[in-house]
Amino acid sequence: MVYEYEHSFGFDEQTGNRRVRPKRGESKASDISGKRSDNLSRARNDFRRLVNTNFYTGNWFITVTFRDNVTDIDEAMEAWRIYVKALKKRYGDFKYIGVREFQKRGAIHFHVIADIDLSTGNELGIIWGHGYVTCERITDRKGHGVDNVGAYLIKYLSKDAADPRLKGKKAYFASRGLDRPHTFRGSEALDLLERLQLERKQPVWANEYEGKYTGIVKYREYNLDRLDKNLF
């Protein structure tokens, strides 16, 4: 995944300060709004990278709901932790990452990607017991590989970002020990781009957004499995 920043990340090119301070007369509310927008865009992309580093085609996309109108996050997460223990007892250890979504009535449900070893998902709802569970293999419509597994969850990450129940809480939850994506910066990143010849490759996904301090940020994602292995 490649990020290209219009301005040097985190620094004012004229003053050298760590952050660009609002100009005199500039609305403080506008500055706060800009920070929130930057943070949300950065959180979405960081989340996408974390998912794509750890989960792959053939893993499971699982939706878990509550029959009752469970609206308290702590209560919902305690039920989830008990569920995970029961699943590990039945299927063995696995890793997962998920987000919470709030229904119109306020009830919480979960969207999760897991590398759990299932033949089918028929037992998942019985083990859960609080509502229904749906699951599907992560593949495209023809049963082929998926380049951007993170897209399964990313739309839910910001959908309820303003919900006050999320204040002070992470926007997502995950098992321990997930691999963290390695980050290359500056000349090291440029050398890697040249070695992998990514500028000549078609990205599997691309986007851009405008940051308060970084200007236009261009984001491109490539499937390294499609590259010549001799380049690594």
PDB file of all heavy atoms in Angstrom, residues 28-38 212:
ATOM      1  N   LYS A  28     -11.367  28.019  15.283  1.00  0.00           N
ATOM      2  CA  LYS A  28     -10.860  26.876  16.036  1.00  0.00           C
ATOM      3  C   LYS A  28     -11.736  25.655  15.799  1.00  0.00           C
ATOM      4  O   LYS A  28     -11.241  24.532  15.713  1.00  0.00           O
ATOM      5  CB  LYS A  28     -10.822  27.211  17.532  1.00  0.00           C
ATOM      6  CG  LYS A  28     -10.151  26.143  18.367  1.00  0.00           C
ATOM      7  CD  LYS A  28     -10.030  26.588  19.809  1.00  0.00           C
ATOM      8  CE  LYS A  28      -9.318  25.516  20.637  1.00  0.00           C
ATOM      9  NZ  LYS A  28      -9.174  25.932  22.054  1.00  0.00           N
ATOM     10  N   ALA A  29     -13.045  25.891  15.681  1.00  0.00           N
ATOM     11  CA  ALA A  29     -13.964  24.782  15.415  1.00  0.00           C
ATOM     12  C   ALA A  29     -13.645  24.135  14.082  1.00  0.00           C
ATOM     13  O   ALA A  29     -13.697  22.919  13.928  1.00  0.00           O
ATOM     14  CB  ALA A  29     -15.409  25.283  15.431  1.00  0.00           C
ATOM     15  N   SER A  30     -13.295  24.978  13.095  1.00  0.00           N
ATOM     16  CA  SER A  30     -12.931  24.464  11.785  1.00  0.00           C
ATOM     17  C   SER A  30     -11.667  23.624  11.879  1.00  0.00           C
ATOM     18  O   SER A  30     -11.536  22.586  11.232  1.00  0.00           O
ATOM     19  CB  SER A  30     -12.722  25.616  10.806  1.00  0.00           C
ATOM     20  OG  SER A  30     -12.244  25.156   9.572  1.00  0.00           O
ATOM     21  N   ASP A  31     -10.705  24.087  12.715  1.00  0.00           N
ATOM     22  CA  ASP A  31      -9.470  23.340  12.888  1.00  0.00           C
ATOM     23  C   ASP A  31      -9.728  21.991  13.532  1.00  0.00           C
ATOM     24  O   ASP A  31      -9.175  20.974  13.119  1.00  0.00           O
ATOM     25  CB  ASP A  31      -8.503  24.155  13.743  1.00  0.00           C
ATOM     26  CG  ASP A  31      -7.145  23.495  13.873  1.00  0.00           C
ATOM     27  OD1 ASP A  31      -6.530  23.230  12.830  1.00  0.00           O
ATOM     28  OD2 ASP A  31      -6.719  23.246  15.012  1.00  0.00           O
ATOM     29  N   ILE A  32     -10.597  21.961  14.550  1.00  0.00           N
ATOM     30  CA  ILE A  32     -10.929  20.707  15.215  1.00  0.00           C
ATOM     31  C   ILE A  32     -11.617  19.765  14.243  1.00  0.00           C
ATOM     32  O   ILE A  32     -11.338  18.571  14.202  1.00  0.00           O
ATOM     33  CB  ILE A  32     -11.834  20.978  16.442  1.00  0.00           C
ATOM     34  CG1 ILE A  32     -11.038  21.738  17.507  1.00  0.00           C
ATOM     35  CG2 ILE A  32     -12.386  19.682  17.006  1.00  0.00           C
ATOM     36  CD1 ILE A  32     -11.863  22.172  18.693  1.00  0.00           C
ATOM     37  N   SER A  33     -12.521  20.339  13.430  1.00  0.00           N
ATOM     38  CA  SER A  33     -13.220  19.528  12.438  1.00  0.00           C
ATOM     39  C   SER A  33     -12.243  18.925  11.444  1.00  0.00           C
ATOM     40  O   SER A  33     -12.360  17.769  11.046  1.00  0.00           O
ATOM     41  CB  SER A  33     -14.262  20.373  11.706  1.00  0.00           C
ATOM     42  OG  SER A  33     -14.888  19.643  10.692  1.00  0.00           O
ATOM     43  N   GLY A  34     -11.239  19.735  11.051  1.00  0.00           N
ATOM     44  CA  GLY A  34     -10.229  19.239  10.130  1.00  0.00           C
ATOM     45  C   GLY A  34      -9.418  18.100  10.730  1.00  0.00           C
ATOM     46  O   GLY A  34      -9.105  17.124  10.066  1.00  0.00           O
ATOM     47  N   LYS A  35      -9.082  18.231  12.017  1.00  0.00           N
ATOM     48  CA  LYS A  35      -8.339  17.174  12.690  1.00  0.00           C
ATOM     49  C   LYS A  35      -9.146  15.883  12.727  1.00  0.00           C
ATOM     50  O   LYS A  35      -8.612  14.800  12.512  1.00  0.00           O
ATOM     51  CB  LYS A  35      -7.991  17.606  14.117  1.00  0.00           C
ATOM     52  CG  LYS A  35      -6.941  18.694  14.217  1.00  0.00           C
ATOM     53  CD  LYS A  35      -6.676  19.042  15.669  1.00  0.00           C
ATOM     54  CE  LYS A  35      -5.654  20.162  15.790  1.00  0.00           C
ATOM     55  NZ  LYS A  35      -5.431  20.555  17.195  1.00  0.00           N
ATOM     56  N   ARG A  36     -10.436  16.012  13.047  1.00  0.00           N
ATOM     57  CA  ARG A  36     -11.277  14.826  13.108  1.00  0.00           C
ATOM     58  C   ARG A  36     -11.357  14.143  11.755  1.00  0.00           C
ATOM     59  O   ARG A  36     -11.311  12.911  11.663  1.00  0.00           O
ATOM     60  CB  ARG A  36     -12.682  15.212  13.586  1.00  0.00           C
ATOM     61  CG  ARG A  36     -12.757  15.553  15.066  1.00  0.00           C
ATOM     62  CD  ARG A  36     -14.130  16.032  15.451  1.00  0.00           C
ATOM     63  NE  ARG A  36     -14.216  16.314  16.870  1.00  0.00           N
ATOM     64  CZ  ARG A  36     -15.238  16.947  17.444  1.00  0.00           C
ATOM     65  NH1 ARG A  36     -16.249  17.372  16.707  1.00  0.00           N
ATOM     66  NH2 ARG A  36     -15.247  17.144  18.745  1.00  0.00           N
ATOM     67  N   SER A  37     -11.477  14.954  10.702  1.00  0.00           N
ATOM     68  CA  SER A  37     -11.536  14.389   9.357  1.00  0.00           C
ATOM     69  C   SER A  37     -10.238  13.674   9.017  1.00  0.00           C
ATOM     70  O   SER A  37     -10.243  12.567   8.457  1.00  0.00           O
ATOM     71  CB  SER A  37     -11.820  15.506   8.343  1.00  0.00           C
ATOM     72  OG  SER A  37     -11.832  15.001   7.038  1.00  0.00           O
ATOM     73  N   ASP A  38      -9.091  14.317   9.341  1.00  0.00           N
ATOM     74  CA  ASP A  38      -7.790  13.692   9.110  1.00  0.00           C
ATOM     75  C   ASP A  38      -7.665  12.393   9.881  1.00  0.00           C
ATOM     76  O   ASP A  38      -7.231  11.371   9.353  1.00  0.00           O
ATOM     77  CB  ASP A  38      -6.665  14.639   9.547  1.00  0.00           C
ATOM     78  CG  ASP A  38      -6.408  15.713   8.516  1.00  0.00           C
ATOM     79  OD1 ASP A  38      -7.159  15.795   7.536  1.00  0.00           O
ATOM     80  OD2 ASP A  38      -5.446  16.487   8.700  1.00  0.00           O
ATOM     81  N   LYS A 212      -5.836  18.068   6.617  1.00  0.00           N
ATOM     82  CA  LYS A 212      -5.687  19.432   7.121  1.00  0.00           C
ATOM     83  C   LYS A 212      -4.239  19.886   7.043  1.00  0.00           C
ATOM     84  O   LYS A 212      -3.935  21.032   6.746  1.00  0.00           O
ATOM     85  CB  LYS A 212      -6.179  19.484   8.573  1.00  0.00           C
ATOM     86  CG  LYS A 212      -6.019  20.829   9.257  1.00  0.00           C
ATOM     87  CD  LYS A 212      -7.006  21.854   8.738  1.00  0.00           C
ATOM     88  CE  LYS A 212      -6.899  23.152   9.530  1.00  0.00           C
ATOM     89  NZ  LYS A 212      -7.855  24.157   9.055  1.00  0.00           N
TER      90      LYS A 212
END
